[in-house]
Amino acid sequence: MSVSDDGEDIVSVEDLSVTYRSVYGPIKALGGINLKVKRGESVSIVGESGSGKSTLGLATVHLLPQNASYTGGRLMLDGKDVATMHGRELMAMRGNTAFMIFQDPLNTLNPVSRIDAQMLEAVRSRAKHDNTSFNQEEALKEAVQKLEDVRMPDPASIIRRYPHQLSGGQIQRVVIAMGLLMRPKLMIADEPTSALDVTVQAQVLKLLRELQREYNMSIIFITHDINVAYGISDRIVVMYAGEVVESGPSDKMTKNAQHPYAQALIKSVPTTTKKQGRLTAISGSPPNMLNPPSGCRFHPRCPYVMNVCTTTSPKETIKDGDAVRCWLYG
């Protein structure tokens, strides 16, 4: 782990709420989110589809869709309030302070532009932000070097190709290299390996972990797979129905999760290291966010539900080093 010794936060989220407007009414995708990411730290956001993890990633870099808005709390990125950013300040923040890798890397690149042109544009943008001169020859050398840094074979040849001439794993490495050219303090990766085969997935995860340590870069890694989260992160944050239900160090979370939902996520993942019998599925379905359950939002699916769970939302409690929202400990 390479977390900054001074404990300075690159991301500080306090009681954040995000609401979507829909033809059926407002949908509160995030409610009361609290999260801190230190410089040089890797944090994974884990949860089922619809838990709000991707919305949290988009909110961090002010890339929410037009029908979504910040409706409460505060999200600070490198000491600045993201919700109040506009125009040039937003453009400067994206890429230079934070860089986002999306689930489908091909959509990140321009299909009719060669890789070298797109990587040079990243260097040009950085130079403009830093108010420094741009030298195309030096920038091209740096781009090739960054492709080498992401373990790309034959980068001098790769950089002259078009996106459609590369494999999914190669495209994802190009996108990561573009991010490194921008020298961001934070990299947000939203399910960046889900479209890749298992072998390439493992290579990309290993690469991100190595680069995070090498560049002392903070990472927010968004995934539905808690095993993947364990392999790349210092801390794991589990989300359910727009709320954080548990967070803590990766090792503790995977070995001794406290919240019933986090426990269920772990039990639903197959393992090759021990006999575990039949996999345990999480009963029921995620709630309809137009009309979420009262009290604890997980209570309709929880095997330990009590009367208080159905009426009152639990407060955050510290249990064995983890922050957990559950009436079993409140």
Side-chain angles (χ1 to χ4, degrees):
M1 191 172 85
S2 55
V3 180
S4 176
D5 292 334
D6 60 11
E8 187 179 354
D9 297 324
I10 183 68
V11 177
S12 178
V13 182
E14 300 174 3
D15 201 28
L16 178 70
S17 296
V18 170
T19 302
Y20 286 84
R21 299 180 301 278
S22 76
V23 293
Y24 304 104
I27 301 173
K28 196 171 185 178
L30 298 178
I33 300 294
N34 292 289
L35 173 68
K36 292 185 183 298
V37 180
K38 298 184 183 302
R39 293 187 186 276
E41 183 182 30
S42 176
V43 175
S44 284
I45 313 295
V46 181
E48 294 172 291
S49 296
S51 63
K53 55 189 188 297
S54 291
T55 296
L56 179 56
L58 293 171
T60 304
V61 288
H62 209 309
L63 278 175
L64 291 169
Q66 290 186 345
N67 68 325
S69 57
Y70 302 92
T71 50
R74 189 171 67 160
L75 197 162
M76 305 295 290
L77 176 60
D78 198 26
K80 298 180 179 180
D81 191 341
V82 173
T84 62
M85 290 184 180
H86 298 283
R88 291 184 178 180
E89 190 178 15
L90 269 179
M91 295 297 293
M93 175 271 286
R94 296 173 187 152
N96 295 289
T97 302
F99 184 87
M100 190 160 186
I101 304 172
F102 294 96
Q103 185 170 345
D104 185 355
L106 191 57
N107 289 337
T108 305
L109 301 178
N110 184 339
V112 298
S113 181
R114 284 193 344 184
I115 301 301
D116 53 3
Q118 298 187 60
M119 296 190 75
L120 288 176
E121 185 57 35
V123 181
R124 187 179 287 107
S125 175
R126 187 193 73 207
K128 183 177 180 180
H129 176 265
D130 296 341
N131 198 26
T132 57
S133 60
F134 172 79
N135 182 294
Q136 183 160 317
E137 185 177 348
E138 292 298 319
L140 189 58
K141 289 180 181 178
E142 186 180 0
V144 172
Q145 180 60 54
K146 287 296 180 285
L147 288 177
E148 290 181 359
D149 289 347
V150 298
R151 323 298 187 254
M152 181 76 84
D154 194 14
S157 172
I158 291 291
I159 203 169
R160 295 193 298 271
R161 299 181 188 178
Y162 288 88
H164 72 271
Q165 296 175 304
L166 305 181
S167 68
Q170 288 175 323
I171 292 173
Q172 197 62 285
R173 288 169 188 258
V174 168
V175 173
I176 295 170
M178 289 177 66
L180 295 178
L181 283 172
M182 302 293 288
R183 300 175 187 170
K185 299 174 182 178
L186 170 69
M187 187 171 284
I188 303 172
D190 187 1
E191 303 258 18
T193 60
S194 61
L196 307 177
D197 64 56
V198 176
T199 303
V200 178
Q201 180 185 83
Q203 293 172 353
V204 171
L205 291 174
K206 182 174 182 288
L207 169 64
L208 283 173
R209 193 60 163 150
E210 290 173 350
L211 293 174
Q212 182 242 336
R213 290 166 173 160
E214 182 179 343
Y215 286 84
N216 194 33
M217 179 176 58
S218 301
I219 291 180
I220 293 178
F221 192 90
I222 298 168
T223 179
H224 64 277
D225 190 333
I226 202 163
N227 272 349
V228 170
Y230 172 74
I232 195 173
S233 58
D234 304 310
R235 284 193 301 122
I236 293 176
V237 175
V238 179
M239 292 188 65
Y240 182 78
E243 298 177 343
V244 173
V245 296
E246 186 173 358
S247 63
S250 297
D251 195 51
K252 279 189 176 183
M253 284 286 293
T254 51
K255 292 180 180 178
N256 190 32
Q258 307 295 320
H259 196 281
Y261 177 63
Q263 294 172 353
L265 282 179
I266 294 169
K267 290 178 182 178
S268 66
V269 176
T271 176
T272 58
T273 58
K274 62 180 180 180
K275 294 181 180 179
Q276 69 180 76
R278 189 182 182 91
L279 285 177
T280 304
I282 304 175
S283 63
S285 303
N288 179 355
M289 294 302 288
L290 276 168
N291 186 28
S294 59
C296 172
R297 291 185 174 181
F298 187 61
H299 85 255
R301 309 172 69 187
C302 182
Y304 310 108
V305 62
M306 301 176 288
N307 287 336
V308 68
C309 305
T310 64
T311 60
T312 310
S313 181
K315 303 289 185 183
E316 185 177 86
T317 302
I318 303 301
K319 172 68 175 175
D320 296 336
D322 291 354
V324 56
R325 294 180 62 171
C326 181
W327 280 114
L328 291 174
Y329 314 105

